[in-house]
Every structure is written in C-alpha cells, then in structure tokens.
Amino acid sequence: MTQITSSSSGAVGSEKVSSRRWLTLVVVGLAQLMVVLDSTVVNIALPAAQADLGFSDGDRQWVVTAYSLAFGSLLLLGGRLSDLIGRKRTFIIGLIGFSVASALGGAADGFGTLVAARALQGAFGAMLAPTALAVLTTTFTIPKERARAFGIFGAIAGAGGAVGLLLGGFLTERFDWRWNLYINVFIAIIGVIGAAIYVTESKRTGPRPKLDIPGTVLISGGLFGLVYGFANAETEGWDAPLTWGMLAGAAVLLVAFVLWQRRATHPLLPLKIVLDRNRGAAYSSVLIAGAGMFGIFLFVTYYLQTSLGFSPIQTGLSFLPMIAMLVLAAQLGTNIFVPRFGPKILVPAGMIIAMVAMIMLTRLDLDSTYAANVLPALMIMGFGMGTIMPASMQTATLGVDREFAGVASALVNTSQQVGGSIGVALLNTLAATAATDYLASNAPVTATVAANAAIASYATAYWWSAGFFALGAIVAALLFRRRGQGLSLAHPAAPAAQAGASDSADAVPMPVH
C-alpha cells in the first residue's frame, strides 16, 4: 500500500518541531475561518450588492447558492486531491484560487460575474477546507496536543458563521459590500506565506494511486443534486418538479457511488472509513448539528433586525457571547471532558444543551429584550455547539490511514454542508407555512399581526431545530462506542502516542470489527 510520511516525523519530540506544529495550527485555522465565514459574511451584504448591481429578488439567492453548490459537490474530490498531489500543494492552490475568486467577485460589474466568482470560491473552498483538517490530523498525533488542536479548530468551525455575521455587518456599514469579498485576499496572502513556511510537505513512498474518476463523477453529481434540490425547495417549494427531480437523481447517484466503491480498485472513499461506528456517529452528529444550528444564525438574525430593530453591526456583536461560550466549551471538552468521558457522553450532552437553548428561543415575542431573553439562549447554544463540534471532528478523523486523511476530513465538511442545506430548506419552508397559517387565522392583517406572524414562524423553526438536536442526542448515544471498546478518544491506540514508531505509523490503525 502506498504510504505518505512526514519529512519532520523524526523530530516529533523536539521543542522546535512542537512550536512548528502550533504555528501550522494558526495557518490552517485561518484558512478554515475564511471558508466558514464566507458562507455567511456575504448574506448581510446582499441587499447592498443587489442595489448596486440591480438584480432581482429571485436572482439574489444564487449569490449564496452558487457557493454552496460548488463547495458541497466538490468536497470529496478536493479532499482526495490533497491525498494524491500533496497537502501543502493543495492547500496553497486552494488559498490562491480562493483569493483570486474573491477579488473577481469584489470587482464584479454585473450579476453574472458575481455568481461565477461565488461558484469559483466554492470550488477552491472545497479544496481548502478538507485539506486544512487533513493537515491538522496528520500534524498532531500526540493525544494531548491533538486534543488541544482540535478544540481550537472545532471552535473556529463552529464560530465561523457568527464571525461572518459580525464581519459582514461591519464591512457593509463602514466600507462597502465589495469588501466582504476583498477581505479574503488579505487573509489568503497571510495564509500562503504561513503555509509556505510552516506546513510540512508530505513525501510519498511507493506508486501513486489513481484517482477514482467514476466515483468522483457519481459523488459530485449526487451531492450537487442534493444541495440543489434542497436549495430549490427553499425557493420553489417541495412540490416543484425540479426539487423532487434533483433529490431523486441525487439518491440514485449516491446509491450508485456506494455500490461502485465496493468494487473499485482505487476507491475515492473506502467504505471502512464510514462504516466504523465512531466515525459514522461523528459524521452524523456534524450533519444533524449543522441542520439545527441554522435556526440560530438565520432566524435569530431575522428576529434581531426586523423585530428588535438591530443594525447589521449590532446583530453581529450580539453573537459574540455565543462565540465566547463556544470557545470555552471547546477547550474544556477536548482537554478535560472527552479524555475522561469519551464522545459517547459528551456529544449527546452537547446536543441536549443546544436543544434547551432552542426551546428557550421559542418563548421570544415582540416584548422580549436581548439581555433578558436572547443572550442567555445564545450563550447556552454556544456551550452546546462547543461541546458537539470539536469532539465530533476529532473522532471523525482519528485512526484514518494517512493516505485517506484528506477524504475522511472532507466528509466532515460535507456533513456540515449537507446538514446546513437540509436545515435551511426545511426550516424556511416550515417557517413560511407557519407565518401563512397565522395570517390566515388572524385577519385582517395589520402591522402588529404581521409582526406576530413573523414571531410565530421563528418559533416554529426553533421547535424543529430543537427536534433536530434531540434526534442528534439519540443517534450519538446509540452509535458512539463506550470507553475502551475499540477506537476511542478516551483510549487512543498506542501507535499514535509512540514517537519512536516508524514514519508510516503516526496514524492510529483501523479498528478490527
């Protein structure tokens, strides 16, 4: 089997290499932040961009959808490319491509150019995001350092959306909507310089495996249909032929992909990666949390701006306490609670905490205040997400052979992206239905009735989000292994902790079933 080894693995114990690892974390964390925040930073800028470029309300969704379609459908390909051509090379290509696409979007003089730039951003983001996580996975192999690194990385992944809202509001109000895209150029320049210096290039021994082209076509087409189908449901409804056609086509392609992976000589995604119970539980948890957390970012933003009259900057600042709690929970979880209790306890606990926060939000009305009603729920939600994400992300990539670290990491991003797409489509549809029913039963429609209809629609979305998290708690509790049963964060396999092992052994071996 082909092996990939790190050129610096012989110096794992040295202080210099340890310092280099933490600087590597800074670089990949910066790239991850750029990719995650770009899924929300443009949302606040959309009204200003629409007024400047003159596109319709119906076209506006494509500025967001173009990014999510390219990003979601190409993630597994991007992750596998990092395994095949080298993580450092893929990482730098992704950074440069993302910055060029961002500059193109910032300079757009028309709707078509802006949408094309957003699609390019998504394509290069699909290279960048899984590669960043793969670099982290193969760089931090000592259990204690790995826990700290994933705590930080998981906090970035969970908080990126809220940071995007804050940054988007600031840039749009103080500068211009185009700076929501231009800002990526400056972040990418720092990232490229840091990657060139601190990210270690992998070197390969043995023959280079081939890219699974049929598998790539099947999974990319399936994910494209899945994301497009849910996006279309949000705008055209669940009964639209294109919605059902895309979702049905996606199901066929995804089933065909699984069947092909069982017989492919060089599979894009070896099924043993997904079929491991702990990893399957981790991917499921990320997907369900991704679906549920959109109830926070989407509908709390609506509530703060339309019901409480917050400005974009005030809205972004309102999420800062949630970010602080998320970072705190991530550090406590990965450094103290996961090693002691394992993900089987911690992830369901995080789901339940997030569920409680959503239920608290259902009590909001037109007389509620931020300090008394919104802030406590946001802080509890931050603690819940900080408990879920780092533990799930660390478990999802623990024990994967180094040659498949990229595609295993891509599955984390894919789960989050697909979960988000499902969440947006379902919650928007359910909220819209609730608002229509409220207006129909409270005629005649006045300004107060319309405002209360919006509150009712948000409450419906929060209840369903609470249901997502409840389901996530059950799934995680059933699927994650108990401590000591096979691959576990609480009991890492010995090779991961043995610095004197051979170069090819810094990955924990696959568990035997």
Side-chain angles (χ1 to χ4, degrees), residues 198-487:
Y198 298 115
V199 175
T200 303
E201 183 66 89
S202 300
K203 60 182 181 180
R204 186 183 305 277
T205 60
R208 181 187 297 274
K210 298 177 181 178
L211 178 64
D212 177 15
I213 295 178
T216 300
V217 172
L218 288 171
I219 191 63
S220 297
L223 291 173
F224 181 92
L226 199 63
V227 175
Y228 190 99
F230 283 116
N232 197 71
E234 182 187 352
T235 55
E236 303 298 327
W238 291 97
D239 56 348
L242 191 58
T243 298
W244 285 109
M246 280 291 183
L247 292 177
V252 171
L253 290 174
L254 292 175
V255 169
F257 171 74
V258 172
L259 295 176
W260 171 255
Q261 294 306 282
R262 297 178 63 182
R263 58 187 294 265
T265 306
H266 300 284
L268 178 70
L269 175 64
L271 295 182
K272 64 181 181 180
I273 292 176
V274 185
L275 294 178
D276 172 75
R277 274 184 59 182
N278 265 15
R279 272 190 287 277
Y283 294 135
S284 300
S285 298
V286 171
L287 185 145
I288 293 170
M293 71 186 292
F294 268 87
I296 281 286
F297 292 138
L298 193 62
F299 294 99
V300 172
T301 298
Y302 290 161
Y303 175 76
L304 292 175
Q305 291 190 351
T306 61
S307 300
L308 298 188
F310 280 29
S311 69
I313 289 182
Q314 287 175 317
T315 301
L317 289 172
S318 299
F319 284 97
L320 282 181
M322 185 182 100
I323 297 174
M325 293 300 292
L326 194 153
V327 172
L328 173 64
Q331 294 307 305
L332 290 175
T334 53
N335 290 296
I336 298 174
F337 298 129
V338 174
R340 180 171 297 179
F341 301 111
K344 188 175 183 69
I345 300 296
L346 206 65
V347 176
M351 294 284 186
I352 292 172
I353 292 170
M355 180 189 71
V356 170
M358 284 297 182
I359 293 174
M360 291 174 65
L361 289 172
T362 63
R363 301 177 64 84
L364 295 178
D365 57 33
L366 293 176
D367 296 321
S368 299
T369 63
Y370 172 77
N373 306 103
V374 181
L375 179 60
L378 287 181
M379 293 180 71
I380 293 172
M381 171 56 69
F383 201 89
M385 292 305 300
T387 304
I388 297 167
M389 294 301 289
S392 297
M393 292 174 71
Q394 187 174 355
T395 309
T397 55
L398 182 64
V400 179
D401 293 338
R402 291 178 69 92
E403 80 171 284
F404 292 109
V407 74
S409 301
L411 265 181
V412 176
N413 300 99
T414 302
S415 300
Q416 191 173 23
Q417 178 67 30
V418 171
S421 298
I422 294 171
V424 168
L426 283 177
L427 295 177
N428 264 325
T429 304
L430 293 164
T433 302
T436 301
D437 292 344
Y438 187 94
L439 291 173
S441 59
N442 289 273
V445 177
T446 63
T448 302
V449 169
N452 282 318
I455 296 294
S457 70
Y458 305 155
T460 299
Y462 299 144
W463 276 117
W464 277 89
S465 293
F468 290 156
F469 285 116
L471 174 64
I474 296 171
V475 170
L478 292 176
L479 288 184
F480 277 113
R481 293 191 188 91
R482 292 181 182 144
R483 294 179 62 190
Q485 293 187 356
L487 189 61

